[in-house]
Amino acid sequence: MTDTDALHRPETPAIASWSYRRCAGPGVHWVWLSVALYLAACFLPAMPPIFGDHKIIGLSCLASLMYTLPAWWANPAYFLALILYWWHCHRIATIFAAISAVLACSFELLNFPNAGWYEGVFKQEVGCYVWIASMQVLACNLLWQEWIVWRQNENESAPAIDDSRVNDA
């Protein structure tokens, strides 16, 4: 590239580079995949019918505020993780993403008693598994990104090796 090319090339505005890093930077495609899975889960059947003949879609489960179930609390943790990720608070976002992933799996982990209406709730449909996958994708991505940052910081802070004796030989 010559000096004249640099003079005639329009400079990228700061907002464009900011939006690129936020919406298309490294690892962000996994966040978008997680959001897409979450949105798909909202419109897929998540639970078998309880009172009628129609399966319950994920959006109904989200809107019904089933806050007595630990798995429902994965939703606020997931949204908090996304908000913190977009605000570049990656370490805290990773913590909330991990919490949401564990809470999403609590259907399976806590072994609720199969009595009354719970019996039908814990026979999940495909939407429930897509919802769990969205939480897992976000948590794995953020954990991976934190591990990469940790490794880079560890390599930068490593003491330099004195290899002058090797070069002299």
Side-chain angles (χ1 to χ4, degrees), residues 9-157:
R9 177 175 290 155
E11 188 173 318
T12 306
I15 191 71
S17 62
W18 173 82
S19 63
Y20 169 76
R21 280 182 278 126
R22 184 164 285 193
C23 299
V28 177
H29 58 283
W30 291 105
V31 176
W32 287 116
L33 175 66
S34 173
V35 170
L37 287 171
Y38 191 92
L39 291 174
C42 285
F43 298 102
L44 290 171
M47 294 186 342
I50 295 175
F51 299 114
D53 294 335
H54 301 289
K55 294 180 179 178
I56 301 170
I57 64 170
L59 195 57
S60 296
C61 294
L62 178 64
S64 69
L65 298 175
M66 300 187 318
Y67 53 85
T68 58
L69 299 175
W72 185 87
W73 288 98
N75 295 307
Y78 177 79
F79 292 132
L80 228 99
L82 285 177
I83 290 167
L84 289 167
Y85 179 79
W86 297 124
W87 284 349
H88 295 284
C89 301
H90 293 172
R91 188 160 292 155
I92 300 169
T94 303
I95 293 168
F96 278 100
I99 289 170
S100 73
V102 170
L103 285 173
C105 289
S106 68
F107 275 130
E108 306 296 332
L109 297 175
L110 295 179
N111 193 14
F112 287 105
N114 286 330
W117 73 280
Y118 282 121
E119 186 175 328
V121 171
F122 299 106
K123 295 177 184 172
Q124 297 103 343
E125 296 287 335
V126 68
C128 186
Y129 294 112
V130 172
W131 173 74
I132 292 171
S134 73
M135 307 283 175
Q136 302 300 323
V137 166
L138 182 67
C140 289
N141 174 44
L142 294 183
L143 285 168
W144 178 255
Q145 287 183 9
E146 281 300 312
W147 183 79
I148 289 172
V149 168
W150 175 75
R151 291 291 293 170
Q152 287 173 348
N153 291 340
E154 185 180 80
N155 288 340
E156 289 173 1
S157 65

